Amino acid sequence: MSKKELILTIVLCTFVMAFLMSGLMTLFQFGFTKQWVMVWAQGFPVAWFCAIILNALIIPHVRRFASYLATDKVQRSQVL
């Protein structure tokens, strides 16, 4: 995956997940009200910023671990 593709993936995935999760979590707290929309609108940018930073820091480690888990046991024992 190219660096450009990785950055776009991080930005788009974090946008979608922050949008959906912040919306769902505030919906559970407030129900379908005007207050819910206002709180969601305030919380989403914070959630997205946090998601981008955390993903940029954690994604490489998750990929490495997923790659390790996907290898055969024989190959894993050679890595260790």
Side-chain angles (χ1 to χ4, degrees):
M1 180 181 291
S2 71
K3 189 167 185 129
K4 182 179 180 179
E5 187 178 356
L6 177 62
I7 291 169
L8 284 172
T9 300
I10 289 171
V11 169
L12 293 174
C13 284
T14 55
F15 176 86
V16 170
M17 290 305 294
F19 183 79
L20 295 174
M21 293 306 295
S22 64
L24 287 172
M25 293 301 106
T26 54
L27 178 64
F28 290 142
Q29 293 294 318
F30 295 95
F32 283 110
T33 63
K34 288 182 182 179
Q35 187 179 16
W36 166 65
V37 175
M38 292 182 345
V39 171
W40 185 9
Q42 292 172 348
F44 167 68
V46 174
W48 191 21
F49 176 76
C50 292
I52 286 175
I53 299 300
L54 291 171
N55 267 310
L57 297 173
I58 293 173
I59 288 253
H61 301 291
V62 171
R63 282 184 168 198
R64 220 174 295 128
F65 184 59
S67 177
Y68 169 78
L69 291 176
T71 59
D72 294 334
K73 288 183 180 182
V74 174
Q75 289 174 328
R76 264 192 249 160
S77 64
Q78 292 172 354
V79 171
L80 297 175

